[in-house]
Amino acid sequence: MSCWTICVRTFINFFFSFFCFFHFDFNVFGNEENETCLVSYGREFVNCYNAMQETENTYVIKLNRIKPLDKEVVSHLKNAKRILFFEEGIKNGGVGEAFAELLEENAVKAEFVHIAVDNEFVKQAPVPSQIKKYGLDKDSIINRINTDGKENQA
């Protein structure tokens, strides 16, 4: 590893330590003592983060690398009673399914809800309308946080 890489990583770790738990494979935003954890990646993270800002007792984990999933992420879920995983992809065979497997392998006892596109063809439409249709917009996430969400449990 070059000196430049080490300097950049050191700066990034120092800078982000003031705002969140920073890790190269994932980030934690908010208080890990909260009971509900939202997990996402890519552009869906923004909706999760904005929903967290408008709700109580919630924090967000943003996955920066989705394959392979970093097993250390489990240590940031020890106080979570509910984990809501949001992704724009297909539910079967998606990242959320792999995340659920990681939770099971590590005996995480929290309720897990996977919100994604069911096994169906997604018709052409504007992205914002599709995001809303599949419950991935900020308002739908807030509603999901405020309900038990058991109807879509993975």
Side-chain angles (χ1 to χ4, degrees), residues 72-101:
E72 187 180 324
V73 74
V74 174
S75 67
H76 297 276
L77 297 166
K78 61 181 174 254
N79 295 316
K81 291 192 167 100
R82 199 164 70 143
I83 301 164
L84 305 177
F85 193 101
F86 293 89
E87 72 177 312
E88 291 183 34
I90 301 294
K91 188 181 282 189
N92 293 345
V95 179
E97 194 173 87
F99 195 82
E101 185 178 316

Side-chain angles (χ1 to χ4, degrees), residues 86-149:
F86 293 89
E87 72 177 312
E88 291 183 34
I90 301 294
K91 188 181 282 189
N92 293 345
V95 179
E97 194 173 87
F99 195 82
E101 185 178 316
L102 180 67
L103 298 177
E104 188 174 318
E105 289 171 358
N106 289 278
V108 175
K109 300 293 183 203
E111 173 189 2
F112 179 77
V113 182
H114 184 193
I115 298 91
V117 177
D118 284 320
N119 252 0
E120 64 184 62
F121 178 76
V122 178
K123 294 180 182 174
Q124 184 175 352
V127 173
S129 68
Q130 294 293 56
I131 294 291
K132 184 169 184 64
K133 176 183 177 182
Y134 290 103
L136 300 169
D137 62 309
K138 179 187 78 167
D139 293 333
S140 298
I141 293 171
I142 290 171
N143 289 336
R144 181 71 68 161
I145 291 168
N146 294 326
T147 62
D148 65 354

